[in-house]
Amino acid sequence: MILVLLVCLPFAGSLAATILLRTDSRVLAARMSGAVTLAALVLTASLYPAVRAGGKVRLDLEWLPQLGLNVTLRMDGFAWLFAMLITGIGFLVVLYARYYMSEEDPVPRFFSFLLAFMGSMLGIVLSGNIILLSVFWELTSIFSFLLISYWHHNAAARDGARMALTITGIGGFCLLAGLLVLGHIVGSYDLDVVLASGDLIKAHPLYLTALVLILIGALTKSAQVPFHFWLPNAMAAPTPVSAYLHSATMVKAGVFLLVRFWPALSGTYEWFMLVGIAGISTLLLGAYFAMFQQDLKGLLAYSTISHLGLITTLLSLGSPLAAVAAIFHMMNHATFKASLFMAAGIIDHETGTRDMRRLSGLLKYLPITGTLAMVASAAMAGVPLLNGFISKEMFFAEAVETHADSVLDRILPYVATLAGAFSVAYSLRFIHMVFFGPEPTDLPKPKPHEPPHWMRFPIEFLVLACLVVGIIPSLSIGPFLHSAVVSVLGDRTPEYSLAVWHGINTPLIMSLIALVGGGALYFVMKDYLAKCDDGPPLFRHLGGQRIFERVLVTVSWKWARWLESNLGTRHLQPQLRLIAAAGFLAGAVSLYLAGFSPKPLSFDDIDPIFAAVWCIGAFCALGAAYQAKYHRLAALVLLGGAGITTCITFVWLSAPDLAITQLVVEIVTTVLLLLGLRWLPKRSEKVDNSVSFAARSRRFRDFLLAISCGFGMFLFSYAIMTQPVPDAIASYFLDKAYSEGGGRNVVNVILVDFRGFDTMGEIAVLAIVALTVFALLRRFRPAPDSIEKPEQQRIQNAFDAERPERSAGDTVRDYLLVPSVIMQWMFPVIATFSVYLIMRGHDLPGGGFAAGITMAIAFLLQYLAGGVRWAEDRLRILPLRWMGFGLLMSAMTGMGAWLFGYPFLTTHSQYIEVPFIGKVPAASALLFDLGVFSLVVGATVLILIALAHQSVRMHRVRSLDAPKAEEA
Amino acid sequence: MELVLAIGIGIMTGSGVWLILRPRTYQVIIGLSLLSYAVNLFIFGVGGVKSNAAPLLGEGVDVSTLTDPVPQALVLTAIVIGFATTALFLVVLLAARGLTGTDHVDGREQPK
């Protein structure tokens, strides 16, 4: 349980910090983060007894056990050591950042990201499931991106963050793929199982694939050549971020992974070559590049790259002793490098620059910080009596040993010594240029002074750690290191001794050569280095960064543009053409592959009347297609004809419910389109009669496509309909409709009972559409040429104006007088009919949908008969209330079942005796249907009325548009 | 029976597809309506084509002779939703015509 708490605590702290975003206090967020980190540190420390001497703490939570994906957290000695590093240095960094961040920065955001990063990092370390590990791995990439780009107004920060995210993101993707392959080999994603099956993995044909993918993940994260270039660019981050992510934690995740999978993957020739080449070249190149940096943090970044290369090299050797040295050096490097980053931050903070060419002689102003930095860089250089010396000696000792006889192995001692000399040179340069020499002359902040004590405290603590570990290693770090080593190596744990003095031996001589050689190198090259500002010689033109940027531009800009301009279109017609063609092909190809052959046509049972009806229907459909461009009204009438044909078909083929619904929907659709016609532009056949060849061929193509689709649908539907209907679920509904649903109209019972939840979703869609229509029409601006009153109205008004005995609007009022009186009188009749439809819906054709639209038609007729104003003077319809009532009603009916302990939307049915009417079925489904009814009324009326209102709104629209036109 | 209905579905589909490929929004809305008739009839037809066998239970009616109610229930909601989407499309096309001044589906006239 403590493990879950440990992982969740930083994330919780991160969320809490976001709440503090609005507060002015910058101390509060820091204090909160400090408390969270300290709590995590204490929690981790308290687990030590459980992990000592090879013990393990494990926690399993099932997540997706079917896929072998579980939340497994495990802590062993190695994970414990790393968790201590993460929480311990995390606490120091929070303390440091409290003083480092300035008043203007949004500090809570910084701490929020930092804590979230800490949580992800702990997640990596504690994951006992390799997929979970990959999830946390991605999280660290994302939070590192956010932290590097914390000062997002700075272009360098944005670019650096993007580069880091791209590189580590690609690495993370490869890692996930590699871990999936690994899981496939082993048959489990559990870390313990994976670690126990090293021999199986190494013998598997997919071993190399998994290895390469995992290595890409680890090497990108740990900034190894050739992926190293993101790290120097990430130095645009605030210094606490660099101290935390780029020395102690994130970059260590890569080598952590290598150590974690060391028992399972290492020891093969492929491992040695791949990891070794990357490690050795990184070790050497990083140290070499570091010498030529002018930026303090740039020097430290390359030095970090080089030290990570050292660790990688150690791991490549595959010997247990080398693994011990690697784990030990990880800890040592974290301590001295974090303190150096913090020191660089203090220098930057106090002087305003990190450029070593401008800094000089600072020891006078920053005596304590200077001394601390000197000790830390001595540790970095590997000076005796400091922790860096011990692990470097172990490295030299391993370098001398022969592990796998190859060129790589034979040159290793020389490379190691050379890299050691380089690291002495750059450490010396760091100290000498910054703290010694003449008085600084052109500092942005002229009077540097020591920072507040608590800002320096983390450095003091870390430097003290360097000294203690360096002088009495076996008493200080010894037992903790041992439990870590045992947890990784198990029974392969070698004999090793953590002592300062091993007598005069080859490693010591190598160390001495490196120290003397590095010192000499620096003093020879001192003047050249101070002036050199275009990067290290020999490698000036070989920029991984430049290649990266070129690839990025090519992929994300050139190729994307090419694809967009060659494959994209902003026209609707080609898209629809493609969709229609794809639909046709998808149907045709799959039918062809399934061995479809058209059925022989049978002309036996054709009813002449039905055929005649469909002759009319076909004529209407074709006519609508032909007339829709120039004769919209005719097309609308023909569309109605096709709709009526459909309706008759439903009646004919035993679907009375559908027929009723189709009929009423047909009416409202026609009215709706009629209302819309008013706002469309005039189009006359004479305007564009010049048809180009291209247009003609386009039409011909569309025509062919339409014919193919139509013919295909004909063959397909004929084949389906002549097939005997398999007994699927129909009989179930037919059997249970009365016994369980209490209704005789099976279609209605399905809608309101068996599939009631679907229906609820559908009426919700209807409500949403109605509201969208309403919202769109509130802001409706017609095109200028549609604003004028229609021709008919103008003639009528002119007629009224000419005659003195008539007042304006008389003709409109008298228009179709008899029909409108009849329509007005029809209102109660239709309303009663709609009530009748809903009441009988459960047993006979009818139901909420049909009744609702019928009711809407009743309202609509009043609008048609008397006009908008007349209708609204007499009738106040509140469609929104109808809709709200409908939704509530159906939802409450559904929830009512809960009161009786049944699932949502369970219905109850019985018959009740109503005076004068007789026995009436009263299922609770009727209430549900009432909700459907109410919503359908509301939605339909809302849509139609909103559209109808546009004609009345005319004047306001024009007066609003007029001043705009003047402005323009 | 099946033959007539299948021909009808084919003709409606063809007309609908032709219309949705046209450049004017009004043509597209008519085309979509025709297509939805065709699709509704098709789904309905999948359940088998029978006359005088409406899925209404009564005394002494043999349940197995009735037509399949499931496609009917599907189509019934489809008809209502079809109305709603037609309305939405109509309003969108009117608003687009108001904004762009043209009823071309791309919001601008095709260059000649």
Side-chain angles (χ1 to χ4, degrees):
Chain A
M1 224 42 233
I2 296 182
L3 291 180
V4 177
L5 193 63
L6 188 56
V7 174
C8 294
L9 195 63
F11 286 110
S14 165
L15 278 180
T18 57
I19 298 167
L20 298 179
L21 264 182
R22 301 270 158 225
T23 60
D24 294 332
S25 164
R26 71 196 191 101
V27 187
L28 197 59
R31 283 196 185 139
M32 200 270 308
S33 315
V36 166
T37 327
L38 198 60
L41 181 64
V42 171
L43 276 181
T44 314
S46 73
L47 284 170
Y48 181 65
V51 300
R52 199 167 47 191
K56 250 186 289 189
V57 186
R58 215 184 128 98
L59 175 104
D60 281 283
L61 295 174
E62 289 207 335
W63 179 13
L64 270 177
Q66 298 88 345
L67 297 178
L69 196 53
N70 292 312
V71 179
T72 308
L73 296 175
R74 73 191 268 288
M75 181 184 263
D76 55 11
F78 180 53
W80 181 85
L81 197 61
F82 237 90
M84 279 304 279
L85 190 74
I86 293 164
T87 50
I89 294 196
F91 177 68
L92 295 176
V93 164
V94 168
L95 184 64
Y96 176 78
R98 148 81 180 82
Y99 295 96
Y100 180 86
M101 303 310 287
S102 94
E103 299 277 352
E104 295 89 53
D105 294 321
V107 180
R109 192 170 54 139
F110 175 80
F111 284 112
S112 170
F113 291 158
L114 197 74
L115 286 178
F117 176 81
M118 182 186 295
S120 333
M121 201 62 213
L122 282 173
I124 293 186
V125 171
L126 298 180
S127 289
N129 183 298
I130 55 177
I131 303 299
L132 187 69
L133 185 146
S134 162
V135 172
F136 283 116
W137 186 276
E138 292 296 335
L139 280 178
T140 58
S141 293
I142 291 166
F143 286 113
S144 109
F145 168 79
L146 291 171
L147 280 167
I148 297 172
S149 62
Y150 174 69
W151 284 321
H152 49 73
H153 45 80
N154 180 350
R158 292 198 301 268
D159 290 345
R162 198 162 49 221
M163 189 184 286
L165 182 67
T166 314
I167 300 285
T168 55
I170 291 172
F173 178 72
C174 291
L175 176 70
L176 176 62
L179 292 177
L180 287 174
V181 175
L182 199 61
H184 170 74
I185 295 175
V186 179
S188 165
Y189 293 120
D190 194 279
L191 186 61
D192 283 318
V193 181
V194 171
L195 293 184
S197 21
D199 294 330
L200 173 73
I201 297 168
K202 284 174 225 171
H204 199 276
L206 282 172
Y207 166 70
L208 192 62
T209 319
L211 178 68
V212 169
L213 288 170
I214 293 175
L215 283 183
I216 291 176
L219 298 181
T220 48
K221 203 78 158 183
S222 278
Q224 299 291 293
V225 171
F227 310 113
H228 63 281
F229 50 87
W230 70 262
L231 188 58
N233 284 293
M235 289 300 125
T239 302
V241 173
S242 307
Y244 193 45
L245 270 66
H246 305 137
S247 71
T249 55
M250 164 133 147
V251 291
K252 290 275 162 47
V255 283
F256 170 84
L257 194 78
L258 292 183
V259 174
R260 190 85 280 184
F261 287 111
W262 194 85
L265 295 174
S266 77
T268 61
Y269 181 70
E270 292 92 341
W271 168 277
F272 173 67
M273 286 312 279
L274 289 170
V275 182
I277 290 174
I280 291 172
S281 48
T282 312
L283 165 69
L284 197 59
L285 287 178
Y288 179 68
F289 287 170
M291 288 199 300
F292 298 92
Q293 298 303 310
Q294 303 298 358
D295 177 11
L296 275 182
K297 283 176 76 179
L299 184 149
L300 293 176
Y302 276 108
S303 147
T304 301
I305 292 173
S306 161
H307 278 273
L308 290 167
L310 189 156
I311 297 169
T312 311
T313 312
L314 276 170
L315 290 170
S316 77
L317 298 176
S319 88
L321 259 178
V324 175
I327 297 172
F328 189 31
H329 196 67
M330 274 184 217
M331 300 300 136
N332 293 337
H333 175 253
T335 40
F336 65 68
K337 193 51 67 65
S339 64
L340 279 172
F341 266 116
M342 291 184 196
I346 289 180
I347 294 166
D348 185 15
H349 201 255
E350 296 302 325
T351 65
T353 179
R354 299 190 319 233
D355 190 335
M356 279 194 274
R357 283 162 299 188
R358 298 170 75 181
L359 295 164
S360 132
L362 285 182
L363 193 61
K364 209 175 97 189
Y365 302 99
L366 301 167
I368 305 175
T369 309
T371 316
L372 292 171
M374 272 183 245
V375 178
S377 34
M380 177 162 77
V383 173
L385 291 184
L386 289 162
N387 60 356
F389 171 73
I390 302 176
S391 47
K392 201 165 247 187
E393 285 285 282
M394 291 167 89
F395 168 56
F396 285 160
E398 281 304 304
V400 176
E401 293 284 319
T402 303
H403 298 282
D405 194 24
S406 69
V407 184
L408 211 58
D409 200 39
R410 275 193 295 276
I411 61 164
L412 189 54
Y414 307 103
V415 173
T417 317
L418 186 60
F422 285 158
S423 77
V424 172
Y426 66 67
S427 306
L428 208 55
R429 175 156 182 259
F430 177 81
I431 294 305
H432 186 258
M433 288 202 75
V434 174
F435 293 106
F436 295 93
E439 288 276 302
T441 46
D442 61 338
L443 292 181
K445 292 182 189 168
K447 285 267 173 254
H449 53 80
E450 282 288 338
H453 176 249
W454 286 108
M455 183 169 181
R456 217 174 47 215
F457 172 77
I459 311 180
E460 288 165 357
F461 181 85
L462 289 170
V463 168
L464 191 67
C466 289
L467 278 166
V468 169
V469 172
I471 297 169
I472 41 166
S474 48
L475 292 180
S476 53
I477 188 88
F480 308 116
L481 183 65
H482 187 71
S483 58
V485 167
V486 169
S487 73
V488 174
L489 298 178
D491 46 9
R492 289 175 68 196
T493 310
E495 285 293 316
Y496 63 93
S497 94
L498 294 175
V500 183
W501 180 252
H502 287 279
I504 297 177
N505 51 13
T506 327
L508 188 68
I509 294 170
M510 285 163 74
S511 278
L512 285 178
I513 295 174
L515 276 174
V516 175
L521 185 67
Y522 173 63
F523 283 102
V524 170
M525 293 183 69
K526 193 172 66 178
D527 295 329
Y528 174 77
L529 290 178
K531 281 193 224 83
C532 152
D533 49 7
D534 49 356
L538 302 179
F539 292 98
R540 271 171 203 154
H541 303 291
L542 191 85
Q545 186 184 347
R546 217 169 306 163
I547 298 169
F548 169 80
E549 274 161 7
R550 201 164 296 164
V551 169
L552 212 59
V553 165
T554 312
V555 173
S556 69
W557 181 244
K558 287 193 188 143
W559 290 3
R561 293 254 307 193
W562 185 87
L563 282 177
E564 202 248 341
S565 58
N566 284 285
L567 297 179
T569 175
R570 302 185 66 177
H571 301 294
L572 183 71
Q573 286 170 278
Q575 298 177 23
L576 281 177
R577 206 171 284 139
L578 276 178
I579 291 174
F584 174 72
L585 283 180
V589 168
S590 51
L591 281 179
Y592 175 75
L593 291 180
F596 174 78
S597 60
K599 292 254 173 149
L601 307 181
S602 98
F603 298 89
D604 303 339
D605 58 343
I606 293 179
D607 190 305
I609 301 176
F610 190 65
V613 166
W614 265 104
C615 278
I616 300 171
F619 169 78
C620 286
L622 292 172
Y626 183 65
Q627 294 293 345
K629 185 164 188 187
Y630 295 116
H631 303 282
R632 296 197 188 107
L633 187 61
L636 183 55
V637 173
L638 289 167
L639 181 71
I644 296 297
T645 310
T646 311
C647 176
I648 295 173
T649 310
F650 286 143
V651 174
W652 205 287
L653 300 175
S654 341
D657 279 285
L658 293 190
I660 296 175
T661 316
Q662 180 73 53
L663 185 69
V664 289
V665 164
E666 206 48 54
I667 296 169
V668 284
T669 308
T670 308
V671 173
L672 178 85
L673 292 178
L674 273 174
L675 286 170
L677 280 184
R678 156 88 177 75
W679 304 103
L680 287 172
K682 285 212 174 78
R683 173 156 294 113
S684 82
E685 262 170 290
K686 291 167 200 116
V687 179
D688 50 351
N689 45 8
S690 60
V691 180
S692 65
F693 174 72
R696 210 181 278 273
S697 65
R698 209 162 44 225
R699 272 190 213 169
F700 182 67
R701 199 172 46 192
D702 292 349
F703 187 68
L704 277 186
L705 189 56
I707 296 272
S708 334
C709 287
F711 191 68
M713 272 306 279
F714 155 64
L715 286 181
F716 184 46
S717 48
Y718 183 68
I720 278 203
M721 283 189 279
T722 45
Q723 204 83 299
V725 182
D727 185 43
I729 48 176
S731 55
Y732 170 82
F733 288 120
L734 289 169
D735 285 341
K736 309 276 177 170
Y738 192 68
S739 56
E740 293 187 4
R744 295 180 187 280
N745 180 0
V746 186
V747 176
N748 186 269
V749 173
I750 292 178
L751 283 177
V752 298
D753 190 340
F754 291 120
R755 312 292 307 159
F757 199 53
D758 285 3
T759 309
M760 228 182 114
E762 267 148 349
I763 58 175
V765 170
L766 201 61
I768 292 166
V769 169
L771 289 176
T772 314
V773 166
F774 182 64
L776 276 171
L777 285 174
R778 269 167 66 102
R779 296 280 167 143
F780 178 62
R781 294 277 177 279
D785 57 304
S786 307
I787 287 181
E788 283 178 47
K789 293 212 161 166
E791 196 182 1
Q792 192 188 14
Q793 270 187 42
R794 269 181 282 147
I795 294 172
Q796 288 166 341
N797 288 349
F799 180 79
D800 289 342
E802 274 171 20
R803 283 162 187 73
E805 76 275 12
R806 298 182 77 92
S807 58
D810 278 355
T811 316
V812 181
R813 207 171 303 123
D814 298 344
Y815 191 66
L816 287 179
L817 186 60
V818 176
S820 53
V821 169
I822 296 174
M823 284 194 243
Q824 286 162 19
W825 281 93
M826 285 299 280
F827 180 70
V829 179
I830 299 176
T832 314
F833 178 61
S834 94
V835 173
Y836 173 63
L837 274 182
I838 185 171
M839 291 300 288
R840 68 179 220 151
H842 216 45
D843 283 335
L844 291 164
F849 281 110
I853 299 178
T854 310
M855 191 67 204
I857 292 172
F859 288 130
L860 197 63
L861 277 182
Q862 302 315 301
Y863 275 78
L864 287 179
V868 173
R869 294 220 171 84
W870 181 89
E872 290 187 350
D873 284 345
R874 285 156 185 78
L875 197 65
R876 232 173 123 60
I877 310 167
L878 300 166
L880 292 176
R881 300 245 172 110
W882 283 84
M883 286 165 64
F885 172 77
L887 264 186
L888 275 180
M889 185 78 187
S890 44
M892 304 261 275
T893 312
M895 285 187 277
W898 287 344
L899 295 181
F900 302 96
Y902 290 104
F904 189 60
L905 279 172
T906 311
T907 52
H908 172 73
S909 61
Q910 63 177 55
Y911 286 86
I912 48 172
E913 196 73 33
V914 179
F916 305 113
I917 298 181
K919 242 163 87 169
V920 168
S924 68
L926 186 68
L927 290 178
F928 181 79
D929 220 12
L930 197 64
V932 173
F933 164 80
S934 169
L935 188 126
V936 171
V937 174
T940 315
V941 169
L942 182 66
I943 292 172
L944 291 169
I945 290 183
L947 200 52
H949 270 219
Q950 299 310 314
S951 304
V952 189
R953 270 181 54 193
M954 284 299 295
H955 290 293
R956 224 178 74 210
V957 170
R958 205 179 327 179
S959 62
L960 271 177
D961 277 355
K964 250 190 223 162
E966 277 163 28
E967 279 167 30
Chain B
M1 226 44 126
E2 289 87 355
L3 184 65
V4 175
L5 186 54
I7 293 174
I9 291 174
I11 288 176
M12 281 187 174
T13 312
S15 315
V17 169
W18 164 257
L19 278 177
I20 62 167
L21 298 177
R22 298 297 87 220
R24 302 292 153 193
T25 47
Y26 186 74
Q27 292 173 304
V28 177
I29 202 170
I30 298 284
L32 282 176
S33 301
L34 282 174
L35 263 185
S36 70
Y37 292 147
V39 171
N40 285 344
L41 283 171
F42 174 73
I43 295 175
F44 167 69
V46 168
V49 175
K50 285 184 199 168
S51 290
N52 294 322
L56 300 171
L57 306 174
E59 302 300 321
V61 174
D62 182 7
V63 165
S64 60
T65 59
L66 298 181
T67 136
D68 190 344
V70 180
Q72 295 196 14
L74 294 177
V75 170
L76 197 145
T77 44
I79 293 172
V80 180
I81 296 283
F83 161 71
T85 47
T86 306
L88 184 60
F89 182 44
L90 179 80
V91 170
V92 168
L93 83 84
L94 292 182
R97 146 99 171 121
L99 277 176
T100 60
T102 166
D103 67 338
H104 195 282
V105 286
D106 294 336
R108 56 181 169 196
E109 291 297 325
Q110 205 126 46
K112 293 266 160 139

